[in-house]
Amino acid sequence: MGSDLDRQIQTLLQCKIITEAEVKELCLKAREILVEESNVQRVDAPVTVCGDIHGQFHDLKKLFEVGGECPKTNYLFMGDFVDRGHHSVETFLLLLALKVRYPDRITLIRGNHESRQITKVYGFYDECFQKFGSANVWRYCCEIFDYLSLSAIIDDRIFCVHGGLSPSINTLDQIRTIDRMQEVPHNGAMCDLLWSDPDPDSCQGWGLSPRGAGFLFGESVAKPFLHNNGLELIARAHQLVMEGYKLMFDDTVVTVWSAPNYCYRCGNVAAILEIDSQLNKSYTIFRDSERNSLNSRMTPQREGPPDYFL
Amino acid sequence: MNSEEYLQHREGLTTSHHDWSMIQVGKLVEGQTVVKVIDPNSYKGLTLVLPLPTCHSDANSSVEDACEVLLKHGISSAPVYDAQRNTYTGMFDYSDMMSYILLSLKKMDVPAEDQTIGMRELIERTNNSQNVPVKMISVAVMDPTGNLIGILSQSFVLDYLANHLSEFPQLQPVMQQSVEQLGLSGSKVLSVNGEAQVLDALLLMSKHSVTSLAVLDEQGVLLGNISMTDIQHIMKDLRSSWLWLSCFKFISNIRRKRGVETGEDQYPVMDVNLKSTFGYTIAKLQATKVHRLWVANDSGLVEGVVSLTDVFRVLSSLLDS
């Protein structure tokens, strides 16, 4: 199996798909590893923290060039691997294969797009159907999504979650009590962690989110949470940032976005957050891969889900 | 209220409002600029008066031009002004225009190759001499000399109320009641299957005079919402081919587009639970800026709907008691 896995990784690195049977087996192996992980998965520095990828495979490869190859560099991906981009399948399967091959060198936590309901609307379902001819691969992946951890903590000081905070959660221990192995609920703590946004303009603590799930939280909520849990930073993703990353609330909350030129048209840069063994933080910016920009200029039609936005 | 009741209901001199029903409407429409678009052809000398936030020059325009202006500014209805009689005769509602186009489309046999024609052409083709019915969904606000100073929409009023709720303690009891208790669930909800065509959904809306339908899967679970305002998206980009897509695909496209434009994706289903409070429902309507929230039970099956109109119906019933 070891050489099989290495071969599959090489295939995926060329942006080619593996067979449905191989996907099924890969998912079974991944499940055994993920089921052991905590809702607040412990990660040791040094580690490079990344935000949304959204199926932009060639930009993920660019990310690895910029940040260093896995497993030489330790990685933590904060969810939203799929939907919107043209290569959600290759992107997620590559990350999953790397996780199975180097379980202690790469951590994957769940984003709001790692959900059956969301992937049916935002493209992953369609892409799976188109590339494999049935919904089976989508189903295997959705089952794996259920096993993904909800958050991570780096050296007990840096808390990483896809969306943000929840009015139902004051301590990290409360997150640990959540039964996470299910479809993302429509409301409640697990939903909030994956859907909430910080609101720099907020003068109240909590507000309902314009997204229709999760909450908006202000500085008056974030700072006590950090203090009560002995944290120095909350790193999260979930929102497009034109400059790649955005610090707020006196640099205690940062949004990291790792999909450059989002949807092949937004013109934004992407970022990764590199944390060294002393917990020093540095942000590296990168632009979209030339391969992507070439594609969007030349071909109006290509493989993948239909692009209404072209 | 007759004038005697009105006099008794005066709030008197005050710098802060305590009676929510006494807020002056003029205050709510401050900041709107009213501009006229002249449309002599289809409306026989009538003009459409549009509340626009920026300056816009008068145009001698056709129905197609008028539609484009409406779309561009995201306006779904406009008062119709009769210059000859110097009076407002009613509201031109966008969905009325769509109904008229759709009925004509359905009667026509549109071949597949023509399904991609631009909306301009579509309107031209269906431009028979047909009366477009008018109905009220907004209220024109006039100054004492009869000039139109703004349009009061339900969203406007809701926004104001939601922001100032703490100033009106007499509203607290109703805010604590559940959607179920207020009778906002249990009625039949008009819906369409996710696989039905958009054209059929629009015709269904038109037939039942509703502006929105719940989109359901085979089991009756709520997938989303299709409404007349979504038609703006078709017409804005002049893509009539979307009329023949499945409803689920269509609403997914709208969600995807919006997510890229705002940089944040929304939850596909905008709903509240039977047990959600009225106050929570109002807050969610304001936060998400939708015109209605479906009422779902714990299994995700739809049991009712709370629209802005329903909110105001509940509030105005308080006035009567």
Side-chain angles (χ1 to χ4, degrees):
Chain A
M1 180 60 204
S3 61
D4 266 353
L5 187 52
D6 283 329
R7 185 186 44 77
Q8 286 167 18
I9 289 173
Q10 287 313 307
T11 304
L12 290 163
L13 279 170
Q14 292 167 62
C15 199
K16 295 197 176 114
I17 55 172
I18 56 181
T19 68
E20 183 181 306
E22 285 172 326
V23 173
K24 189 172 185 181
E25 238 211 293
L26 177 65
C27 289
L28 281 171
K29 290 225 159 337
R31 189 166 82 175
E32 284 166 33
I33 295 166
L34 294 172
V35 76
E36 299 297 325
E37 294 194 345
S38 163
N39 291 346
V40 188
Q41 178 65 3
R42 304 199 95 90
V43 174
D44 296 325
V47 64
T48 296
V49 180
C50 314
D52 295 28
I53 306 292
H54 281 303
Q56 296 183 203
F57 183 87
H58 300 291
D59 297 320
L60 175 62
K61 293 209 65 186
K62 184 90 186 269
L63 185 158
F64 284 136
E65 278 171 40
V66 167
E69 295 300 321
C70 172
K72 205 142 171 264
T73 302
N74 296 324
Y75 279 100
L76 163 55
F77 286 89
M78 297 192 287
D80 278 12
F81 319 111
V82 299
D83 281 340
R84 294 190 171 285
H86 294 107
H87 301 286
S88 295
V89 168
E90 293 88 341
T91 298
F92 181 62
L93 292 178
L94 173 61
L95 291 172
L96 201 64
L98 288 170
K99 175 66 183 176
V100 172
R101 184 68 178 84
Y102 309 108
D104 299 324
R105 301 304 181 93
I106 175 171
T107 305
L108 306 174
I109 66 174
R110 195 171 189 176
N112 62 308
H113 278 259
E114 274 74 57
S115 141
R116 290 161 186 79
Q117 193 171 22
I118 304 301
T119 50
K120 277 201 150 168
V121 174
Y122 288 98
F124 183 51
Y125 175 88
D126 293 336
E127 187 186 322
C128 287
F129 214 101
Q130 195 175 33
K131 289 181 175 170
F132 290 93
S134 80
N136 291 339
V137 165
W138 174 78
R139 273 192 301 106
Y140 303 147
C141 291
C142 288
E143 279 160 21
I144 288 296
F145 294 159
D146 289 346
Y147 286 88
L148 290 170
S149 193
L150 299 179
S151 64
I153 181 130
I154 303 169
D155 285 10
D156 288 323
R157 300 285 296 161
I158 299 172
F159 179 64
C160 302
V161 68
H162 177 74
L165 303 178
S166 170
S168 319
I169 301 278
N170 293 313
T171 66
L172 298 182
D173 271 342
Q174 284 173 317
I175 302 179
R176 292 180 177 111
T177 66
I178 295 173
D179 173 18
R180 78 168 189 263
M181 290 171 203
Q182 53 170 320
E183 170 62 20
V184 182
H186 189 168
N187 43 40
M190 179 168 159
C191 170
D192 298 340
L193 291 170
L194 272 43
W195 278 92
S196 293
D197 295 299
D199 186 7
D201 302 326
S202 165
C203 38
Q204 49 179 359
W206 296 99
L208 287 186
S209 172
R211 296 183 192 250
F215 289 85
L216 298 177
F217 60 95
E219 191 168 346
S220 62
V221 159
K223 286 214 166 139
F225 182 84
L226 281 141
H227 181 260
N228 294 340
N229 292 283
L231 305 168
E232 64 182 63
L233 177 71
I234 297 171
R236 44 88 64 177
H238 195 42
Q239 281 175 305
L240 169 65
V241 182
M242 292 302 292
E243 309 81 18
Y245 73 99
K246 183 175 177 187
L247 285 154
M248 55 201 114
F249 301 164
D250 279 340
D251 294 1
T252 56
V253 174
V254 67
T255 302
V256 180
W257 181 267
S258 304
N261 195 25
Y262 182 46
C263 292
Y264 315 108
R265 71 172 197 178
C266 284
N268 60 292
V269 297
I272 51 178
L273 162 57
E274 288 161 314
I275 298 170
D276 72 13
S277 39
Q278 266 74 53
L279 293 189
N280 294 315
K281 306 162 201 71
S282 73
Y283 297 91
T284 304
I285 307 291
F286 63 100
R287 306 199 117 77
D288 62 330
S289 92
E290 274 175 20
R291 170 83 188 266
N292 274 338
S293 30
L294 198 69
N295 275 346
S296 51
R297 270 202 304 277
M298 284 174 58
T299 46
Q301 271 181 333
R302 52 192 135 144
E303 46 17 289
D307 302 341
Y308 72 90
F309 51 73
L310 272 180
Chain B
M1 275 190 248
N2 62 35
S3 55
E4 199 179 296
E5 284 171 337
Y6 176 81
L7 283 169
Q8 286 169 355
H9 199 194
R10 282 176 72 88
E11 198 172 34
L13 285 169
T14 176
T15 51
S16 65
H17 298 283
H18 298 289
D19 186 333
W20 61 275
S21 62
M22 293 300 290
I23 301 162
Q24 292 179 322
V25 295
K27 192 173 155 62
L28 295 179
V29 300
E30 271 169 13
Q32 287 187 7
T33 306
V34 179
V35 170
K36 293 175 185 167
V37 169
I38 296 167
D39 178 21
N41 299 321
S42 293
Y43 288 94
K44 304 175 182 57
L46 300 177
T47 60
L48 292 176
V49 181
L50 307 172
L52 295 173
T54 56
C55 274
H56 178 86
S57 56
D58 285 1
N60 246 340
S61 57
S62 61
V63 172
E64 294 86 343
D65 291 329
C67 278
E68 271 184 356
V69 170
L70 285 172
L71 284 160
K72 196 169 144 225
H73 293 277
I75 297 163
S76 58
S77 70
V80 180
Y81 178 74
D82 185 338
Q84 284 158 350
R85 289 189 291 153
N86 201 29
T87 181
Y88 288 92
T89 64
M91 296 292 282
F92 168 69
D93 187 273
Y94 192 68
S95 59
D96 297 326
M97 165 62 89
M98 272 319 295
S99 308
Y100 148 71
I101 292 174
L102 289 172
L103 286 166
S104 315
L105 259 185
K106 198 70 178 175
K107 282 183 212 158
M108 292 158 38
D109 208 354
V110 182
E113 59 270 18
D114 281 355
Q115 288 179 7
T116 55
I117 61 174
M119 283 312 294
R120 279 192 76 97
E121 223 191 302
L122 202 64
I123 295 167
E124 277 165 20
R125 284 200 196 186
T126 58
N127 202 9
N128 309 320
S129 56
Q130 198 163 322
N131 284 330
V132 178
V134 291
K135 62 175 187 283
M136 297 286 283
I137 61 167
S138 302
V139 175
V141 180
M142 324 282 271
D143 73 12
T145 64
N147 292 321
L148 184 71
I149 58 170
I151 303 295
L152 193 68
S153 70
Q154 292 175 328
S155 311
F156 246 74
V157 179
L158 186 92
D159 216 42
Y160 185 90
L161 264 174
N163 289 336
H164 296 261
L165 213 47
S166 54
E167 297 166 37
F168 306 116
Q170 69 268 52
L171 290 177
Q172 281 313 310
V174 75
M175 293 301 160
Q176 296 304 320
Q177 294 206 281
S178 78
V179 153
E180 194 173 25
Q181 284 169 327
L182 289 168
L184 292 164
S185 63
S187 54
K188 185 165 167 26
V189 163
L190 285 166
S191 66
V192 68
N193 185 281
E195 295 310 305
Q197 282 184 334
V198 172
L199 187 56
D200 290 321
L202 296 178
L203 284 164
L204 194 63
M205 280 188 260
S206 189
K207 181 178 168 201
H208 293 275
S209 297
V210 295
T211 51
S212 176
L213 296 173
V215 179
L216 308 179
D217 71 4
E218 297 302 326
Q219 279 75 44
V221 170
L222 197 54
L223 295 175
N225 172 94
I226 188 166
S227 69
M228 279 297 184
T229 48
D230 294 332
I231 310 318
Q232 286 182 19
H233 292 279
I234 299 183
M235 299 192 68
K236 205 168 197 173
D237 300 321
L238 304 180
R239 289 184 213 205
S240 61
S241 57
W242 286 13
L243 287 168
W244 285 274
L245 279 181
S246 77
C247 288
F248 184 70
K249 197 114 191 82
F250 173 71
I251 62 178
S252 298
N253 286 352
I254 300 225
R255 286 249 171 262
R256 296 210 272 205
K257 187 165 186 273
R258 192 204 152 109
V260 176
E261 283 162 9
T262 61
E264 12 182 282
D265 289 327
Q266 272 189 325
Y267 200 80
V269 172
M270 293 296 186
D271 64 354
V272 289
N273 188 275
L274 288 167
K275 305 276 182 280
S276 302
T277 64
F278 189 56
Y280 173 79
T281 305
I282 287 179
K284 190 163 180 178
L285 279 165
Q286 191 210 17
T288 56
K289 295 195 181 354
V290 296
H291 292 153
R292 70 197 56 74
L293 291 168
W294 301 99
V295 180
N297 63 19
D298 293 331
S299 316
L301 300 173
V302 67
E303 296 213 9
V305 61
V306 183
S307 67
L308 293 178
T309 306
D310 293 317
V311 167
F312 290 109
R313 197 158 26 85
V314 169
L315 291 173
S316 65
S317 69
L318 293 179
L319 276 175
D320 298 334
S321 55

